Amino acid sequence: MTRPRILALATAVPPHRWTQQDVVESFGEHFPRYREPRIQRIFQGSGIETRHFVIDRASFDPSAGPDDLHALFLSGAQELGEAAAHRALDQARLDPGDVDYLVATTCTGYVCPGLTARLGAVLGLPDHLQRADLVGMGCAGAMPSLQRAHDFVRAHPGRRALVVCVEVASACWFVDDTLETVVGNTLCGDGAAAAVIGADEGLDTPTGSPALERFATLLDAALLDSVGLEFRAGRQRIVLDKELRTGAGPLVARAVERLLEESGLGRDEIDHWIVHSGGRRVLDGIDEALGFEDDELVHSRSVLRTHGNMSSPTLLFVLERSQHAARPGDVGVLVALGPGLAAETGILRW
């Protein structure tokens, strides 16, 4: 049977590294509320130390209008997506002409032509390239992107797919009187990740390339409005309902239970838990719901601490760190939580 595998995985972040203190001080220069002790404590207790943004502190402009923010997204997304894609192709020892299918996912901006057309041009991908732009999948975006690539190479053995997940959260700064946007401003960072997917058949598969074995989705429509992005006055504003803190863990637990049952696997057979770094409280809820006794989410917490929540590429950052400890025969579970409310899960086997 044709087995789609992750042949290469690479990440990219902007050069501007902000501490949480940098962020709260920059907001505090323009918005007195961010100088309040309570808000300072929220930033300090986020589990995040640093994030990367396409802008530096001198360029931070909370009064930027929709046109400026859109331009920021477009330039940042193209630059980050191109960097991650080049690194993944180099790692796989492939030329741009070797790519047959491109999947690009984002939620922090909208462009038409989409990112696949734009990245295809700057990367020099073939003019007969097949493409899929996924928009609005939020933090779960990496999983359906991997699934689209998996399905393509399984249907076309010997061909290769490139997945690019890229977000420019700094194009979505928003301030109002709600605690919701304060929390959103503590969390989100900019970044990109790219993966090359190919099947066993007809390919020279690099050692240590994990096979993508199964995908499963669980949607809870009762939490449809709990997380996402909405437009206000032409700007994107993050939505983070407090229900997410208590609803995320049980939904993930149900999704994982179903995934393992369908896969014929027991919990004790899972060697690696690759979980999207949604936020400290979300990870705590997942940790509790899955009944972990050891620090199974160490890589998720590490990515959160150094990069924050970058939305769609974050899961691949966690996988990049996790795979260094993987051995042949190891089994991993992928988990990403996104708007819907959706728990996207999958099985990896090294």
Side-chain angles (χ1 to χ4, degrees):
M1 179 182 294
T2 300
R3 285 159 51 94
R5 293 181 176 273
I6 299 177
L7 306 180
L9 175 63
T11 58
V13 293
H16 306 298
R17 180 174 173 269
W18 294 48
T19 67
Q20 284 293 70
Q21 191 61 30
D22 290 335
V23 178
V24 73
E25 286 180 359
S26 292
F27 273 98
E29 291 172 4
H30 302 273
F31 305 102
R33 189 181 189 198
Y34 281 76
R35 298 196 289 268
E36 296 175 5
R38 181 191 182 193
I39 305 303
Q40 302 261 340
R41 287 194 297 270
I42 291 174
F43 274 81
Q44 294 164 2
S46 63
I48 298 169
E49 295 176 1
T50 58
R51 289 179 278 168
H52 293 79
F53 299 119
V54 298
I55 56 173
D56 58 19
R57 289 192 65 178
S59 303
F60 175 66
D61 180 10
S63 64
D67 291 349
D68 292 331
L69 294 175
H70 175 76
L72 183 69
F73 166 79
L74 182 55
S75 62
Q78 289 186 162
E79 183 175 339
L80 289 170
E82 180 183 5
H86 272 306
R87 290 171 189 169
L89 290 172
D90 288 346
Q91 188 184 126
R93 300 187 298 278
L94 296 175
D95 294 322
D98 297 322
V99 176
D100 303 287
Y101 184 58
L102 174 62
V103 185
T105 186
T106 191
C107 68
T108 48
Y110 172 78
V111 290
C112 181
L115 288 180
T116 55
R118 297 169 187 274
L119 290 173
V122 297
L123 290 168
L125 301 184
D127 58 8
H128 60 270
L129 182 75
Q130 295 188 45
R131 301 173 293 121
D133 283 273
L134 300 185
V135 179
M137 305 295 285
C139 294
M143 291 299 292
S145 299
L146 290 174
Q147 187 172 4
R148 300 291 85 73
H150 165 281
D151 294 348
F152 175 83
V153 300
R154 187 170 183 179
H156 304 283
R159 297 190 181 182
R160 302 170 181 87
L162 174 63
V163 169
V164 179
C165 301
V166 57
E167 305 290 359
V168 184
S170 54
C172 300
W173 291 125
F174 196 97
V175 176
D176 56 20
D177 293 332
T178 69
L179 198 59
E180 186 177 33
T181 58
V182 170
V183 173
N185 289 332
T186 70
L187 283 174
C188 300
D190 300 346
V196 177
I197 312 299
D200 287 338
E201 194 173 330
L203 288 179
D204 179 16
T205 305
T207 303
S209 302
L212 293 159
E213 291 199 344
R214 181 181 292 272
F215 296 89
T217 299
L218 184 60
L219 286 164
D220 187 347
L223 295 172
L224 180 67
D225 298 321
S226 63
V227 62
L229 289 162
E230 64 181 7
F231 277 92
R232 290 193 180 180
R235 298 165 60 109
Q236 290 207 85
R237 173 188 181 274
I238 195 167
V239 175
L240 283 175
D241 194 281
K242 61 183 179 182
E243 286 183 281
L244 190 63
R245 303 174 192 172
T246 55
L251 179 65
V252 167
R254 296 202 309 274
V256 167
E257 182 180 2
R258 179 183 294 181
L259 175 74
L260 296 182
E261 183 177 346
E262 292 175 350
S263 304
L265 293 168
R267 285 279 299 274
D268 59 347
E269 297 178 79
I270 306 305
D271 303 291
H272 307 280
W273 293 89
I274 301 119
V275 179
H276 170 78
S277 309
R280 182 180 63 81
R281 291 194 177 184
V282 170
L283 287 176
D284 288 347
I286 293 173
D287 200 334
E288 180 179 355
L290 292 178
F292 290 142
E293 296 181 1
D294 299 320
D295 194 4
E296 301 285 358
L297 303 182
V298 59
H299 296 301
S300 302
R301 297 187 189 279
S302 174
V303 169
L304 182 69
R305 183 171 61 253
T306 57
H307 293 81
N309 179 353
M310 296 164 286
S311 194
S312 64
T314 310
L315 181 72
L316 298 180
F317 275 72
V318 179
L319 176 57
E320 184 181 47
R321 298 192 183 192
S322 301
Q323 67 182 3
H324 295 306
R327 302 175 180 178
D330 279 3
V331 179
V333 168
L334 296 162
V335 179
L337 197 70
L341 184 68
E344 302 282 355
T345 60
I347 297 288
L348 279 178
R349 191 181 298 270
W350 277 266

